[in-house]
Amino acid sequence: QVQLVESGGGLVQPGGSLRLSCAASRSLFSGNDMGWYRQGPGKQRELVAGITSGGSTNYLGSVKGRFTISRDNAKSTVYLQMNSLKPEDTAVYYCKPRAVAGTPYNFWGQGTQVTVSS
């Protein structure tokens, strides 16, 4: 079964931390570059962080130094550790592979809501 299941979101105060998890089916995860994306209220979806199958990472400028993406290949899971959260990080967060078998992958899971507010 092909699936992406994001979890770990919630309400947090500014300056707080959350750790998001994305459990993917092996066919979507194994050997593929993975990304965390977000869509804030009234905004377009954007790539927040990416990790290659080999573990190289890249980040959106506004989260660099605050967010860390990682992957556990044995569990087919990708994580996003978010520290020093700001109200502008409020969004629904999604994960997905960048491509599968060389073809861009454009399907989304249900996402997980992150709300940063005092």
Side-chain angles (χ1 to χ4, degrees):
Q1 185 177 359
V2 175
Q3 64 175 4
L4 295 160
V5 180
E6 300 94 342
S7 63
L11 173 64
V12 63
Q13 292 187 340
S17 298
L18 283 174
R19 188 194 194 205
L20 306 183
S21 299
C22 172
S25 55
R26 186 158 294 276
S27 62
L28 295 183
F29 184 90
S30 183
N32 295 322
D33 300 347
M34 299 293 293
W36 277 101
Y37 301 75
R38 69 185 181 189
Q39 186 166 20
K43 299 180 180 179
Q44 289 191 331
R45 198 169 298 183
E46 61 184 354
L47 176 65
V48 175
I51 186 166
T52 68
S53 57
S56 297
T57 60
N58 63 281
Y59 297 93
L60 180 69
S62 61
V63 309
K64 205 171 290 186
R66 300 189 296 122
F67 291 10
T68 303
I69 189 171
S70 61
R71 62 191 292 159
D72 185 331
N73 293 332
K75 296 181 178 179
S76 296
T77 300
V78 60
Y79 303 98
L80 186 68
Q81 177 67 44
M82 306 187 295
N83 299 327
S84 302
L85 282 161
K86 304 176 180 180
E88 51 264 42
D89 295 318
T90 294
V92 180
Y93 284 71
Y94 305 85
C95 77
K96 72 171 184 73
R98 304 287 289 274
V100 176
T103 300
Y105 188 84
N106 295 315
F107 298 94
W108 302 92
Q110 84 288 349
T112 185
Q113 175 71 49
V114 171
T115 302
V116 185
S117 175
S118 55

